[in-house]
């Protein structure tokens, strides 16, 4: 029997202006996935959650879709058992299905010695996103795979990656809200079908600041690019008191604030050489709380992406 263990992190997609193109891979939390494969006369894939998994959502569906797509394309006749230990909160804009999809793709690639390039890994991992959320978007999976700040070229799936500026911290605040089960599908249904020239131009200018900020290690410049004239205005109704919480984060020293992925988590970036990220976290949590909305929150940083931790 072949066995492999892979760890893949949470991610935050869009960064305001970079809808479906930008993402960061976070340092924490992470999913751990184990794949076991034994020769069989036909393909059989089973995915389960480990007892110590803190959450259970659509990751098993996502992983199965990825493994089945790979097994079909490469004609793999194996019995494959996947086990997930998930610590990434589900359906809150932190790329939970992306992490397990990428872990499955990276694990299967190494286990079956397929030697796929990163574009092919993204192509297969996107099958997991499709199964879990109804659309093949590549931003979260690129962030989870590579870590850092990643941009995906949507025609070729080529990615460009920048490391995190030193001292940059990420504050994630997740309000406890009742949202539809397939939340990403719902959040995408809120988006406008067409975008005016003025809004498009504004978003190009914001997105340019994000990229230039990462290229120049300038946290304040990145923060000023986390604005968004198109997606955020359409989605912020999902998050009660969004404007007030955003304002509180900026007043307490955040360099920029946006919706994390399809929400409802909010992400603030902080230059920890100048501002204590705990101050920003507490202020955001406090403002949700003052309106009777409980929120979970944590401080992390940009991480290194998916890693194989053990191969037997
Ligand atoms: N770019 C995607 C969206 C990310 O905003 O719909 C989903 O996590």
């Amino acid at each position: 029997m072949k066995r492999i263990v892979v760890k893949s992190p949470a991610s935050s997609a869009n960064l305001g202006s970079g809808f479906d193109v930008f993402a960061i891979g976070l340092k924490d939390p992470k999913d751990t996935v184990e794949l076991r494969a034994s020769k069989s006369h036909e393909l059989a894939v089973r995915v389960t959650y480990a007892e110590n998994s803190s959450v259970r959502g659509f990751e098993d569906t996502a992983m199965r879709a990825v493994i089945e797509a790979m097994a079909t394309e490469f004609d793999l006749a194996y019995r494959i058992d996947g086990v997930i230990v998930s610590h990434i909160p589900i359906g809150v804009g932190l790329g939970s299905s992306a992490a397990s999809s990428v872990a499955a793709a990276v694990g299967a690639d190494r286990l079956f010695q397929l030697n796929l390039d990163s574009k092919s890994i993204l192509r297969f991992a996107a099958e997991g996103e499709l199964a879990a959320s109804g659309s093949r978007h590549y931003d979260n999976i690129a962030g989870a795979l590579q870590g850092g700040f990643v941009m995906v070229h949507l025609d070729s799936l080529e990615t460009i990656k920048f490391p995190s500026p030193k001292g940059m911290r990420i504050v994630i605040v997740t309000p406890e809200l009742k949202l539809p089960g397939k939340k990403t599908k719902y959040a995408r249904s809120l988006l406008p079908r067409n975008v005016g020239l003025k809004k498009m131009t504004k978003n190009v200018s914001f997105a340019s600041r994000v990229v230039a900020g990462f290229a120049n290690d300038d946290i304040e410049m990145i923060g000023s690019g986390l604005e968004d004239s198109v997606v955020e205005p359409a989605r912020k109704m999902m998050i009660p008191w969004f404007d007030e919480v955003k304002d509180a984060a900026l007043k307490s020293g955040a360099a920029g604030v946006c919706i994390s992925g399809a929400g409802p988590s909010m992400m603030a970036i902080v230059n920890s050489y100048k501002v204590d990220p705990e101050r920003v976290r507490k202020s955001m949590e406090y403002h949700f709380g003052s309106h009777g909305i409980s929120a979970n929150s944590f401080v992390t940083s940009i991480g290194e992406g998916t890693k194989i931790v053990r191969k037997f």
Side-chain angles (χ1 to χ4, degrees):
M1 183 195 283
K2 303 162 182 272
R3 283 171 72 189
I4 194 161
V5 180
V6 183
K7 271 188 194 289
S8 187
S11 51
S12 179
N14 300 340
L15 285 90
S17 46
F19 177 70
D20 273 0
V21 175
F22 292 173
I24 50 176
L26 302 180
K27 191 162 170 241
D28 316 288
K30 290 190 175 91
D31 278 359
T32 305
V33 156
E34 177 167 348
L35 297 182
R36 299 177 199 143
S38 38
K39 265 273 174 216
S40 169
H41 52 282
E42 60 181 8
L43 178 69
V45 181
R46 201 172 67 117
V47 181
T48 51
Y49 287 92
E51 294 246 314
N52 58 336
S53 196
S54 1
V55 291
R56 283 150 208 252
F58 298 111
E59 281 102 334
D60 50 348
T61 312
M63 269 184 67
R64 202 175 317 112
V66 174
I67 297 169
E68 281 173 359
M70 293 174 83
T72 307
E73 183 150 330
F74 298 104
D75 219 359
L76 303 172
Y78 280 88
R79 182 198 153 89
I80 304 171
D81 281 298
V83 180
I84 315 170
V85 184
S86 181
H87 297 303
I88 304 176
I90 311 252
V92 296
L94 293 176
S96 57
S97 53
S100 30
S101 300
V102 168
V106 168
D109 173 56
R110 182 65 78 85
L111 206 55
F112 301 112
Q113 296 171 335
L114 304 173
N115 294 321
L116 298 177
D117 60 13
S118 67
K119 292 181 197 176
S120 306
I121 297 283
L122 290 182
R123 184 163 61 81
F124 285 115
E127 294 304 313
E129 287 290 53
L130 177 67
S133 73
S135 75
R136 278 189 192 90
H137 47 274
Y138 296 90
D139 44 6
N140 281 108
I141 52 179
L145 177 64
Q146 303 200 328
F149 163 65
V150 189
M151 293 168 258
V152 193
H153 183 241
L154 295 180
D155 291 342
S156 66
L157 298 188
E158 187 191 329
T159 51
I160 302 170
K161 171 177 166 179
F162 285 102
S164 173
K166 284 200 177 60
M168 180 160 146
R169 294 290 175 272
I170 309 294
V171 177
I172 301 285
V173 180
T174 307
E176 284 179 15
L177 303 172
K178 274 206 167 34
L179 291 170
K182 290 236 166 180
K183 186 254 4 208
T184 300
K185 196 170 179 189
Y186 167 68
R188 291 178 86 85
S189 76
L190 301 174
L191 302 180
R193 298 289 142 230
N194 298 298
V195 175
L197 192 61
K198 219 170 174 181
K199 288 183 177 172
M200 188 205 77
T201 313
K202 267 191 144 184
N203 264 28
V204 172
S205 103
F206 295 140
S208 308
R209 294 187 71 77
V210 174
V211 177
F214 275 102
N216 293 307
D217 279 343
D218 185 334
I219 298 170
E220 278 69 29
M221 187 179 284
I222 299 168
S224 69
L226 297 189
E227 295 297 323
D228 174 9
S229 305
V230 177
V231 175
E232 183 177 294
R235 282 183 173 168
K236 68 181 182 182
M237 46 71 81
M238 286 169 52
I239 309 169
W241 309 104
F242 175 85
D243 287 325
E244 186 181 317
V245 175
K246 177 172 174 177
D247 204 43
L250 293 171
K251 284 201 175 111
S252 58
V257 184
C258 61
I259 300 176
S260 181
S265 297
M266 292 174 69
M267 179 189 78
I269 66 165
V270 177
N271 183 344
S272 65
Y273 293 137
K274 295 185 180 166
V275 174
D276 179 359
E278 277 298 315
R279 195 182 127 111
V280 174
R281 183 188 71 75
K282 284 182 187 152
S283 140
M284 293 173 79
E285 212 185 285
Y286 172 80
H287 276 82
F288 274 124
S290 67
H291 293 291
I293 299 172
S294 312
N296 300 308
S297 59
F298 60 93
V299 175
T300 185
S301 49
I302 290 182
E304 291 180 350
T306 297
K307 300 266 179 262
I308 292 170
V309 290
R310 252 181 121 180
K311 186 167 184 303
F312 304 89

